Amino acid sequence: GSSREHAPWGLQDYGFDALVAPSFADIFYSNCTKIGLLPVVLSAEDCHALAQAGAGEIDLERQEVRFAGRQVPFEIDAEIRHRLLGGLDDIALTLKEDDAITAYERERERSGPVTTAL
């Protein structure tokens, strides 16, 4: 499959909220998390057991996948987990820093002619 943005977009458009696999390419994993699609890495054995169960539940808050009476933990970067739980994308994270950005822009203003005006 493709690691470009269209691969996770296609999966999300098809109705997927999460994916479970033994591994993901770094670019694909990053692109998934940027659009709110949760990639969960489990061992091959746990992935097989989940497939055999036919259904499962992923709990991002507890960082576990539940199926067939089992609870299997998974790891996820704390910042990615925070973004996914909060529904935050890169723009939302940037906008949270609006006051700091405004202060920076105000402090960096220089006297003289404006060269950015159209």
Side-chain angles (χ1 to χ4, degrees), residues 30-57:
S30 177
N31 286 338
C32 285
T33 64
K34 287 180 182 288
I35 66 167
L37 184 61
L38 173 61
V40 175
V41 176
L42 295 182
S43 70
E45 295 80 19
D46 287 331
C47 287
H48 180 73
L50 173 58
Q52 292 299 312
E57 180 179 83

Side-chain angles (χ1 to χ4, degrees), residues 19 29 35 49 51 55-56 58-59 73 78 90 100 108 110-111 113 115 118:
L19 308 168
Y29 187 96
I35 66 167
I58 299 170
D59 186 334
D90 289 343
R108 71 180 280 276
R110 307 287 186 256
S111 60
T115 60
L118 295 176

Side-chain angles (χ1 to χ4, degrees), residues 17-109:
D17 295 320
L19 308 168
V20 179
S23 67
F24 297 95
D26 291 342
I27 293 170
F28 180 82
Y29 187 96
S30 177
N31 286 338
C32 285
T33 64
K34 287 180 182 288
I35 66 167
L37 184 61
L38 173 61
V40 175
V41 176
L42 295 182
S43 70
E45 295 80 19
D46 287 331
C47 287
H48 180 73
L50 173 58
Q52 292 299 312
E57 180 179 83
I58 299 170
D59 186 334
L60 180 55
E61 286 185 21
R62 290 195 169 134
Q63 290 182 229
E64 66 183 20
V65 179
R66 295 187 287 269
F67 59 94
R70 297 177 56 197
Q71 292 141 355
V72 180
F74 66 90
E75 296 296 320
I76 187 167
D77 177 79
E79 182 60 28
I80 292 171
R81 180 177 175 266
H82 168 74
R83 286 183 19 231
L84 291 171
L85 286 172
L88 302 170
D89 62 8
D90 289 343
I91 294 170
L93 290 171
T94 302
L95 291 175
K96 285 181 124 185
E97 302 299 325
D98 185 52
D99 291 342
I101 293 168
T102 300
Y104 171 81
E105 290 295 329
R106 187 174 34 254
E107 291 171 11
R108 71 180 280 276
E109 289 180 17

